[in-house]
Amino acid sequence: MTLNEKRRLLESLTQMHSATRETLEGIDLELPVYQDSGWRIRDIIGHIATWDRQVAMSLRAFRVGQEYALPDHDEAVFNEQDILNQQDLTA
């Protein structure tokens, strides 16, 4: 990946982050989204961020010729554990 490609990617990610923050401004992050699971808007945002981090770790491993797998290999267990771990984080 060239330096220009990296700069474009970083700029795009920065714009997406800003747009997401702007979209969520003033929204109650504690509002339940899924009544059956109790997931709130905060949990959905955390879920997306968690998978963004997983993708980043996978790309880093790929870049050096390695593979990356979820620590648990069970997505449902991984998702539930991650939600519990981040329940009280700030936005």
Side-chain angles (χ1 to χ4, degrees):
M1 180 180 289
T2 68
L3 186 57
N4 282 337
E5 290 171 323
K6 287 181 182 180
R7 285 184 181 142
R8 280 196 305 268
L9 180 58
L10 180 58
E11 182 179 320
S12 177
L13 290 170
T14 301
Q15 289 172 353
M16 289 170 45
H17 178 78
S18 295
T20 300
R21 289 184 64 92
E22 184 178 314
T23 299
L24 294 171
E25 191 172 308
I27 291 180
D28 180 6
L29 299 179
E30 302 306 318
L31 186 68
V33 178
Y34 296 111
Q35 298 299 329
D36 58 332
S37 69
W39 278 36
R40 307 161 293 173
I41 291 175
R42 165 187 308 285
D43 300 321
I44 300 297
I45 294 166
H47 179 71
I48 292 167
T50 292
W51 283 100
D52 283 350
R53 286 189 296 273
Q54 294 302 309
V55 167
M57 286 188 270
S58 181
L59 290 171
R60 284 186 196 112
F62 176 75
R63 186 177 61 193
V64 296
Q66 298 175 349
E67 291 184 18
Y68 176 80
L70 290 177
D72 191 317
H73 300 291
D74 182 336
E75 288 183 31
V77 171
F78 178 82
N79 286 334
E80 287 303 319
Q81 186 59 50
D82 195 68
I83 289 299
L84 292 174
N85 291 341
Q86 65 187 5
Q87 277 185 334
D88 297 322
L89 295 178
T90 64

